[in-house]
Every structure is written in C-alpha cells, then in structure tokens.
Amino acid sequence: MTAFQHKKSLVMQVVKAACAAFLLANTTLAQAEEEPVIYVSVAPQKYLLEQIAGDLVQIEVLVQPGHNPHSYDPSARQMARLAKADMLMSTGVPFEQVWLPRIRRLNTHLIMVDTLKGLESGHDNDGHDEEPAADPHHADHDHDHDHDHDHDHDHDHSGQDPHVWMDPIQALAQAEIMTQALVKAYPALADQFQQGYRKLHQDLITLDHEIHEQLEPYDGRTFMVFHPAWGHFATRYHLEQIAIEYEGKSPSARQLVALSEKAKAENIKVILVQEQFNQKPAERIADNIDARVVRANPLPEHLPDALRALTKQLLESWQ
C-alpha cells in the first residue's frame, strides 16, 4: 500500500467513525425526545416512579426541596414544561386544589392520574405476602376519565392526610395505581413497568416487615410532631401521633401549656419538626419538658432511608 493509499484509508476510517457517532447521537436524542415527560407533585412519588419506570420516562417534581406543598406555586418554567408534558400524577397535597384545574386548562391532552384514588375508601393492601398484578385492565374503571377533559374529575382530598407514602403498604398501593396508569398509557413498555413494580413490591414489603419487627415492642407508644404528617406511619405500626399544630395553625398559649403537660405525661423526649413549618412552638414545649427538637422530612427523595431513619429516631427517644 502506498503512502497515499494509507492516508486515504485513514481518512475514510475517521469519516466512518464520525458518521457512526453522529448517527448514535441523533438516535439517542430521538429516544430522549420520545421519552414520556411525567410530572409528580412531590419527591416521594418520584422515588416510586423511578423504581417502576427507571429511565424509560422523564420525571419532573413540582414541589422542590424546602418548599411547602400546602402553599406551593409552580414556577413559570414548570408551567411551560407542563404545557408539553404527557402525564401528571397527583397525590392530594393542598396546592393541587388550586393548580390542577389551571394545569388541565393549560394542557388539554395531559393525562391526569389521581394516585390516591381508592386509598381514601380504605384501600389498604394489607396482605403482606400477596403481590398485586398491576394489570392495566384492573385499573380501567379507575382511569377511564384520564382522557375525558370536558368534565371536572378532580377529587377533593381536603381533610385527608396525603402523606400516604409514610406507610410502606400504602406507598405500595399508590405505586400500583401509578404502574397501572403507565401500562395503560404506554402498553409497549408494560413488561418493564411491571418488572420494576415487582422489585419495588419486594423492597417495600421487606421494609414493612423490618419496621414492624423493630416497633412491635413499643405498641401504643406516643410521639409528638409539629405538623401531623406521620399519621399513616403511626396507624400502620400501632403508634399515636400528637400534633402541636391544630387545624393548620400554631397553638395558643393555653394550648401550649396543655400540650406540654401531655408530653410530660407521655414521657416525650423528641419532637419531630420539618423545615417548611414554624419550629418555635415545638422548641417551647421541648424547653418545658427537657426534650429535643429533631428535624424529619415527610417528603423524602429516598423513601426507605427516610422511614428507617424515622424508626431509629423513635426507638432512640423511647430508650
């Protein structure tokens, strides 16, 4: 081979490599553009959805870390993205009552999935050894309204504690609803979604057994919080949650005295607070009863870690 032919061969190899890289980049870009864009309201939903769908969908969270889901206003950027999104999975947090109708008007093709539907009527899924099928046909009666945008199908969850994910079994029931919606909307990916759900099912059932075993000796014990976000956790593990906040408001001076007396009677040593709410009432009670104020997050990005941390905090406070 002459020097010219060798040089020509090298040039052709470089051109072929560049073409291959270009095609690969464009294929990857096309795949990314085809991935469904799915919005969820809060971070725990994102965790569940990630376990179910992996990287098959693009997941966006409305309520950003440190913000209050009671009074959250989506940003202009989020609203622009929502106008082109494919699906929105709600979970009954208060800001949704104002914003879901506006979002629906903004994007009339958006699939709206109420992930509390069924849970409010006592859907508990307490069979620890039974694995739900996550069959899309099972959910047809729940989600037939998703594409009907001419009627108001919002569900009023006011008065209901939306923090269902703080109970692993309720979180699993919520994940089943999410899986059914995904399978119905994107049947070509059904096998992957169901595989992700089965793995999540196993993980959450294991977590529930683990927490049950740790908390069983403390059946009926009491813990104190500022905002009542741990009610589902308390119910699942036979505990009692005492909330300082009353009907969304900080307590009066008289109520603070009564709460301090109750905390003393129950030998409360830790008061759980979250950063989005006023911590001064909890600090006053803690000073009165020689307790500690501990930050806890009911909107965690990694749900199992947060539930294990909560269990550990409670156990330490009772020992």
Side-chain angles (χ1 to χ4, degrees):
M1 179 183 292
T2 65
F4 174 78
Q5 289 174 325
H6 180 67
K7 184 176 181 181
K8 182 178 179 181
S9 176
L10 288 176
V11 170
M12 290 301 296
Q13 289 177 19
V14 171
V15 169
K16 287 179 180 179
C19 289
F22 177 80
L23 289 172
L24 178 62
N26 277 274
T27 300
T28 303
L29 179 60
Q31 289 174 341
E33 291 175 346
E34 292 172 3
E35 289 173 357
V37 176
I38 300 180
Y39 266 86
V40 295
S41 292
V42 292
Q45 289 178 287
K46 180 184 179 183
Y47 172 81
L48 296 176
L49 189 53
E50 283 176 337
Q51 309 315 301
I52 297 165
D55 58 1
L56 297 175
V57 302
Q58 295 182 42
I59 307 171
E60 301 281 353
V61 182
L62 282 170
V63 180
Q64 297 299 299
H67 289 265
N68 189 334
H70 288 249
S71 56
Y72 187 74
D73 290 333
S75 67
R77 179 183 177 277
Q78 286 178 324
M79 293 300 287
R81 288 274 290 164
L82 278 164
K84 299 177 181 179
D86 299 290
M87 184 180 289
L88 170 60
M89 295 185 170
S90 62
T91 190
V93 289
F95 88 93
E96 293 174 353
Q97 293 183 24
V98 172
W99 282 99
L100 289 189
R102 298 178 184 179
I103 293 169
R104 175 177 284 125
R105 289 193 295 269
L106 178 70
N107 183 347
T108 57
H109 299 289
L110 186 67
I111 300 173
M112 309 284 278
V113 180
D114 179 3
T115 66
L116 285 191
K117 188 174 176 63
L119 276 69
E120 60 192 337
S121 59
H123 179 47
D124 202 19
N125 192 17
D126 200 14
H128 291 175
D129 298 320
E130 178 183 354
E131 182 173 331
D135 187 330
H137 302 295
H138 175 70
D140 283 350
H141 65 284
D142 284 343
H143 298 293
D144 280 343
H145 66 274
D146 287 343
H147 294 283
D148 182 0
H149 302 285
D150 297 327
H151 299 86
D152 183 6
H153 292 283
D154 290 329
H155 300 281
D156 183 7
H157 298 294
S158 58
Q160 180 186 3
D161 179 2
H163 304 84
V164 295
W165 51 83
M166 298 308 292
D167 169 359
I169 303 303
Q170 290 277 51
L172 185 57
Q174 192 172 34
E176 184 180 3
I177 293 171
M178 298 166 79
T179 304
Q180 291 166 353
L182 289 171
V183 169
K184 184 174 181 181
Y186 311 105
L189 300 174
D191 289 345
Q192 292 97 312
F193 294 146
Q194 290 168 346
Q195 182 178 353
Y197 172 79
R198 286 192 292 270
K199 176 62 167 61
L200 176 63
H201 179 277
Q202 180 181 353
D203 292 345
L204 290 181
I205 291 298
T206 299
L207 175 64
D208 175 59
H209 284 311
E210 175 187 322
I211 297 174
H212 258 298
E213 185 176 341
Q214 291 178 318
L215 294 180
E216 189 173 10
Y218 300 90
D219 190 287
R221 290 296 296 265
T222 301
F223 63 98
M224 181 168 278
V225 304
F226 177 75
H227 180 67
W230 291 271
H232 291 286
F233 182 92
T235 299
R236 174 61 56 190
Y237 301 111
H238 310 123
L239 308 173
E240 180 185 354
Q241 169 188 256
I242 300 175
I244 297 173
E245 182 187 67
Y246 180 71
E247 295 183 348
K249 299 177 182 178
S250 293
S252 65
R254 180 179 296 179
Q255 289 169 331
L256 274 175
V257 171
L259 285 165
S260 296
E261 291 175 353
K262 185 170 181 60
K264 284 181 182 178
E266 296 289 346
N267 196 28
I268 299 292
K269 296 301 181 184
V270 168
I271 302 175
L272 302 180
V273 298
Q274 58 192 102
E275 61 180 325
Q276 298 93 339
F277 292 89
N278 180 13
Q279 298 178 22
K280 289 183 178 179
E283 291 169 352
R284 291 195 189 103
I285 293 175
D287 288 342
N288 291 337
I289 64 172
D290 193 25
R292 293 185 299 118
V293 173
V294 175
R295 287 192 177 187
N297 183 13
L299 301 173
E301 294 185 8
H302 194 283
L303 186 58
D305 285 355
L307 292 175
R308 288 188 174 98
L310 173 61
T311 302
K312 182 180 179 182
Q313 288 170 332
L314 293 176
L315 290 172
E316 289 176 351
S317 74
W318 294 330
Q319 293 172 353

